Amino acid sequence: MTWDTVSLDWNDAETVATLTVDRPEALNALNVETLEAMGEALATAADGDARALVLTGAGDDAFIAGADIKYMKDLSVAEAQEWGELGHGVADALEAFPAPTIAAVNGYAFGGGCEMAIACDLRVAAESAIIGNTEIDLGIIPGWGATQRLPELVGDEVARRMIYLGERLDAESAAEVGLFGKVVPDDDLEVVAAELAERIAEKPAVAMRAAKQSLNQRLEGSQAAGLDYEKRAFASLFGTHDQREGMDAFVEDREPEFE
Ligand code: DAK
């Protein structure tokens, strides 16, 4: 199976799959086609019994610069709900992937890009990576899981600062708050992520799956309700003045004037 904006590659032993988002013209921002392709690629990797999966972005500039603002800007509430479901589906598929997933964060990881990274089991970052949930500056809130997953990783105080202020953290600061497990020189990222994936892939697969499922179990229940709430809250912002203004301003390359 091949896709225009996503590739799926395997190591020689066919134990580690690497899913690369490849939309250079939009800094790997996620549109409908790319999210659908990611979902299919994850299913293919699971069917191929991947024992570890690496998620990364093509090129040196971006992991994923977020959801595609140009696509999102004119969505109605109903369309935003569908859009939310699509992105949530991919983040959920990463979280529930039957083997550990590693985000190799190269460059920008904003908004939905940050949300895909935090849906992975582990995060390794290049020194030049910058990460944040920047949605507030577009007049919306994170819509693919960050209000629930981010506090789990970095604690409530830091998550609130990041989401309320749209803070963009450099790699070192992100590692300090526990968002990145490891920061490496840019040129080493691919190798370090691959080595980590290989180490995981060499462990007993059945126990690994049980370990992941058990760790994920603690998130069940209250997180599901929280994710549902987030979907509804996100969609309800479409059509508001600040959502239109925030996204128009981005597309027109000017400062937004919020209400
Ligand atoms: N969407 C669409 N295009 C994008 C993009 C994005 N997120 N980010 C960058 N691009 C495009 C730019 O428009 C530009 O395209 P052209 O003008 O060349 O056609 C090209 O990529 C290169 O970008 P720049 O020229 O801006 O490059 P710079 O190096 O100057 O700046 C930047 C890079 C990453 C700092 C800047 O592009 C930027 O700030 N981008 C926006 C980052 C951002 O705010 N990301 C968060 C998006 S909001 C939900 C669903 C989803 C979400 C929430 C709820 N529900 C339905 C529940 C998620 C929301 C988000 O992710």
Side-chain angles (χ1 to χ4, degrees), residues 216-230:
N216 281 5
Q217 204 59 42
R218 81 190 198 290
L219 304 171
E220 296 292 321
S222 61
Q223 180 176 265
L227 288 172
D228 269 348
Y229 185 88
E230 184 192 87

Side-chain angles (χ1 to χ4, degrees), residues 24-27 29 65-70 72 80-81 83-85 88 108 110-113 115 134-135 138 140-144 168 230-231 234-235 238 250:
E25 72 281 10
L27 295 178
D68 189 317
I69 302 167
K70 291 168 189 165
M72 253 191 317
Q81 227 148 5
W83 172 237
E85 295 287 346
H88 263 279
Y108 302 119
F110 294 142
E115 291 177 297
T134 51
E135 290 88 346
L138 295 166
I140 57 169
I141 64 170
W144 293 339
R168 300 176 176 208
E230 184 192 87
K231 280 180 208 167
F234 173 86
F238 277 74
F250 173 80

